[in-house]
Amino acid sequence: MVGKTIYVGLDVHKVSISVSVAEAGRDGPVRFLGPIPNTPPDVAKLVHRLAKGDCRLEFCYEAGPCGYGLYRQLVGLGHHCAVVAPSLIPKMPGDRIKTDRRDSQRLAILHRAGDLTSVWVPDEIHEAMRDLTRARIDAVMQLMRARQQLLSFLLRHGRTYTTGKNWTQRHRSWLGGQVFAQPAHQIVFQDYIEAVFTAQDRRDELASRIEKMLPSWSLGSLVEALRGLRGIDLISAVTFIAAVGDLNRFETPRQLMAYLGLVPSEQSSGDHVVRGGITKTGNREARRMLVEAAWSYRYPARMAKEKAEILVRLPKPVRDIAWKAQLRLCKRYQRLTAVRKKPTVVVTAIARELSGFVWAIGREVQPAPS
């Protein structure tokens, strides 16, 4: 066993981890070792038991809700670990049996064959920033639900605001003047109002925390550079970078486009080529940030005052890329619209090309040392 490589497949759950090992070689034996508790001491005991005889251990497990704590523990013990993408694990069409034992054995066998695709594992600081941006997204969704519940309550009682848009200063003044005859209705109304204000304060507080933590983040300079692009502000840039990570790991812009799920799907055979909608793989929030930014390119290219204040602090190569993006994408938006493409199709095409300019800025701005 000296010098041999053992491939360990881990099927990770909240309480337990099912463990299987596959020895090196195409016909190497595969053994199921059974489940162990999902605690750091038990994982350390497993590693110590498997590492006897100077064996080289190659661990793998699926990315999931349990996070990267197990990955960091295994790497800290001096062993290699791969966190694999669940959607890219090869599966047999006729396999209709799924158990923890089969899953761990399949992971060990596929890891030995080199058929697994690893995901990018962020460091602890990047993961903390990602959780902070996700908390803000949750706060935004909570605010939307609270507002909808308030408006639905008012609609049930025939109270509609018709003199302008909702949630402006005048709309808030109108809400403050609403009085109900029934005390129970007044209590419900005040409770809905308080829920809206609480959710709004939570959203603004999280945005303020993100802005304060940005200078100490290694990718903060990249976030500032992306703010030079039209349609991308501080929050959208932070959300995008926190979800995608370091852009230098993508060798070409097409790889970034495919990672974001902005490339068209395809099912071709022989001379028959069929292309469909975008694949929508990768992170949904990062893709949404680009799609929202793409809507701003429906107007002619120009330099807005607030963007000029940001661009003056950026290096000249970044400013050139941002202006080139405006010229190209605004013109392309008008050209696609002129041939009567659907607005959603046009915006998706603009977002795909915008990701290429984002990749180019990522090549110009290197992350600071952690």
Side-chain angles (χ1 to χ4, degrees), residues 120 219 222 241 244-252 255-256 358-368:
W120 178 73
L219 296 176
L222 179 57
I241 295 300
V244 177
D246 188 7
L247 300 180
N248 288 323
R249 61 195 180 96
F250 300 101
E251 297 181 358
T252 63
Q255 291 183 0
L256 178 59
V358 170
W359 177 87
I361 291 179
R363 289 287 175 171
E364 296 291 338
V365 180
Q366 299 299 323

Side-chain angles (χ1 to χ4, degrees), residues 182-369:
Q182 295 294 331
H185 288 163
Q186 191 67 33
I187 292 174
V188 173
F189 175 71
Q190 294 297 334
D191 183 73
Y192 280 138
I193 287 287
E194 187 62 29
V196 171
F197 290 160
T198 301
Q200 185 171 339
D201 292 341
R202 180 192 174 200
R203 180 202 61 182
D204 297 340
E205 179 64 23
L206 288 171
S208 177
R209 295 296 181 99
I210 291 174
E211 187 173 359
K212 291 179 181 178
M213 293 183 61
L214 189 60
S216 60
W217 189 23
S218 61
L219 296 176
S221 57
L222 179 57
V223 171
E224 287 294 328
L226 291 183
R227 293 179 64 189
L229 290 170
R230 186 174 185 173
I232 297 181
D233 59 1
L234 176 65
I235 295 300
S236 58
V238 172
T239 304
F240 180 85
I241 295 300
V244 177
D246 188 7
L247 300 180
N248 288 323
R249 61 195 180 96
F250 300 101
E251 297 181 358
T252 63
R254 291 183 178 272
Q255 291 183 0
L256 178 59
M257 296 174 189
Y259 176 81
L260 296 172
L262 291 171
V263 297
S265 59
E266 181 177 349
Q267 290 193 7
S268 302
S269 179
D271 298 333
H272 188 62
V273 179
V274 178
R275 292 187 176 89
I278 59 175
T279 59
K280 293 185 180 181
T281 58
N283 189 273
R284 178 176 56 186
E285 292 301 327
R287 182 171 59 254
R288 186 173 65 87
M289 292 296 108
L290 291 182
V291 172
E292 289 184 356
W295 284 104
S296 64
Y297 291 93
R298 64 185 183 273
Y299 304 110
R302 66 182 183 90
M303 187 62 64
K305 180 180 178 181
E306 58 273 11
K307 283 296 180 183
E309 297 175 355
I310 297 174
L311 288 169
V312 72
R313 303 192 301 263
L314 300 178
K316 187 177 185 305
V318 176
R319 297 199 303 267
D320 294 340
I321 294 173
W323 181 244
K324 182 180 179 182
Q326 276 212 61
L327 294 177
R328 175 177 174 82
L329 297 182
C330 292
K331 183 178 180 180
R332 181 164 175 77
Y333 192 101
Q334 298 299 328
R335 186 167 60 249
L336 292 176
T337 305
V339 296
R340 299 185 181 277
K341 292 286 187 180
K342 293 182 179 179
T344 53
V345 175
V346 175
V347 169
T348 303
I350 298 300
R352 178 168 57 249
E353 292 201 20
L354 179 60
S355 64
F357 289 101
V358 170
W359 177 87
I361 291 179
R363 289 287 175 171
E364 296 291 338
V365 180
Q366 299 299 323

Side-chain angles (χ1 to χ4, degrees), residues 149-180:
Q149 290 170 356
L150 173 60
L151 294 179
S152 299
F153 171 77
L154 292 174
L155 181 61
R156 289 197 301 270
H157 295 277
R159 312 288 181 93
T160 57
Y161 182 70
T162 59
T163 58
K165 294 183 178 180
N166 293 333
W167 311 115
T168 60
Q169 187 63 38
R170 295 179 63 181
H171 180 246
R172 293 189 182 93
S173 300
W174 177 80
L175 288 174
Q178 299 301 308
V179 179
F180 293 85

Side-chain angles (χ1 to χ4, degrees), residues 48-108:
H48 179 72
R49 182 178 61 173
L50 295 177
K52 290 183 178 179
D54 295 332
C55 294
R56 179 169 171 257
L57 302 181
E58 294 281 346
F59 292 89
C60 71
Y61 69 95
E62 296 182 25
C66 294
Y68 304 107
L70 179 60
Y71 167 86
R72 296 191 178 101
Q73 180 183 3
L74 295 174
V75 172
L77 293 174
H79 301 281
H80 183 268
C81 180
V83 184
V84 301
S87 60
L88 299 180
I89 297 178
K91 297 180 181 179
M92 298 179 61
D95 191 0
R96 294 293 185 269
I97 300 177
K98 184 181 184 304
T99 62
D100 295 344
R101 174 172 182 168
R102 281 175 172 251
D103 290 344
S104 61
Q105 289 178 338
R106 184 174 71 252
L107 285 173

